Amino acid sequence: MSTSEWRMQLNNWLQANSKRNALTWDVSTSGPKHAPTWTAIAYIDGVQYGRGTGVSRNVATEIAAEQTLTALKRQTGR
């Protein structure tokens, strides 16, 4: 999938399942400024559902969004 497609699908799923405001993100960086490592953690109602690490904020959030959406679909069967 292309950049932001997982986030878009996650947001669409949350909206369709009446959880539009349930998603929060914790995004941080580590490492040197010239080559940071980004980490994004997705929470649904305060519970961690996905974590992604990558060379950019977008990569990290896409990975976390994919994990979150997969977990939510598995959990709800939708």
Side-chain angles (χ1 to χ4, degrees):
M1 290 205 174
S2 65
T3 302
S4 78
E5 203 163 318
W6 284 109
R7 280 179 285 173
M8 181 181 66
Q9 285 192 27
L10 175 58
N11 285 330
N12 288 342
W13 190 95
L14 291 169
Q15 187 171 12
N17 289 278
S18 302
K19 290 195 164 282
R20 198 172 99 215
N21 296 318
L23 175 65
T24 56
W25 293 96
D26 181 14
V27 180
S28 61
T29 61
S30 62
K33 287 187 178 185
H34 68 278
T37 298
W38 289 83
T39 301
I41 304 171
Y43 296 93
I44 303 294
D45 292 327
V47 177
Q48 180 179 323
Y49 273 76
R51 175 187 291 263
T53 303
V55 297
S56 71
R57 181 184 183 117
N58 282 339
V59 169
T61 54
E62 281 298 298
I63 293 167
E66 178 182 9
Q67 291 177 2
T68 301
L69 183 58
T70 300
L72 287 169
K73 285 182 174 181
R74 189 177 311 124
Q75 180 180 344
T76 62
R78 297 183 202 171

